[in-house]
Amino acid sequence: MSLDTVLYTAQANVTGGREGQATANDAAIDLTLTTPKELGGAGGNGTNPEQLFAAGYSACFMGALKLVASKQQVKIPAETSIEGFVGIGPVGQAFGIEVELKISVPGLDKALVEQLVETAHEVCPYSNATRGNIDVTLTIV
């Protein structure tokens, strides 16, 4: 998929890999990176690429959900939330990830939410980037 126009480019710099520092060029992000104990690291105070991916995908999907809802004149309640889970594990000799998004849209009919989520999954840039590459499970709670 090739973009028609680039509307925005995010820029981040990482030093030290999973045991390092991540910063954004506009200073909006300045994070310590740590490897989780489950992956052989020390854990502790810091984040990791899987947490960042979970947060990014959840936020992006929320944006897509709001966009498709607004096109249908549906108001997404302020209490709507998306909890992202990113699992990492071996795939043969390499590593891979899987994603689950738990989507809560209180106060809306479940059939409507299912339709909005399905459409948002077609619109969301993260969904388009991952489609056919990793397992993505969308769970409406």
Side-chain angles (χ1 to χ4, degrees):
M1 173 187 302
S2 184
L3 300 179
D4 295 335
T5 303
V6 175
L7 300 175
Y8 169 75
T9 300
Q11 182 182 353
N13 184 56
V14 171
T15 57
R18 285 184 171 269
E19 298 293 330
Q21 198 71 22
T23 57
N25 65 316
D26 63 0
I29 296 175
D30 189 354
L31 301 170
T32 299
L33 302 173
T34 58
T35 302
K37 289 180 181 180
E38 297 85 348
L39 296 178
N45 294 332
T47 191
N48 58 66
E50 293 73 35
Q51 289 173 325
L52 295 170
F53 194 88
Y57 200 162
S58 297
C60 190
F61 199 90
M62 179 77 77
L65 185 63
K66 288 180 175 182
L67 175 69
V68 300
S70 72
K71 288 184 176 184
Q72 296 181 32
Q73 276 93 44
V74 174
K75 183 167 175 26
I76 296 294
E79 302 81 25
T80 298
S81 65
I82 299 178
E83 189 175 15
F85 297 84
V86 175
I88 183 171
V91 178
Q93 298 298 313
F95 279 85
I97 60 171
E98 64 181 19
V99 172
E100 180 180 11
L101 299 180
K102 290 189 177 180
I103 304 153
S104 173
V105 186
L108 288 186
D109 177 71
K110 185 168 183 175
L112 174 60
V113 172
E114 288 170 349
Q115 182 268 319
L116 292 171
V117 165
E118 183 179 313
T119 305
H121 192 44
E122 296 300 316
V123 171
C124 176
Y126 274 64
S127 293
N128 287 324
T130 59
R131 187 170 290 109
N133 297 312
I134 66 170
D135 290 335
V136 175
T137 303
L138 304 173
T139 305
I140 298 170
V141 295

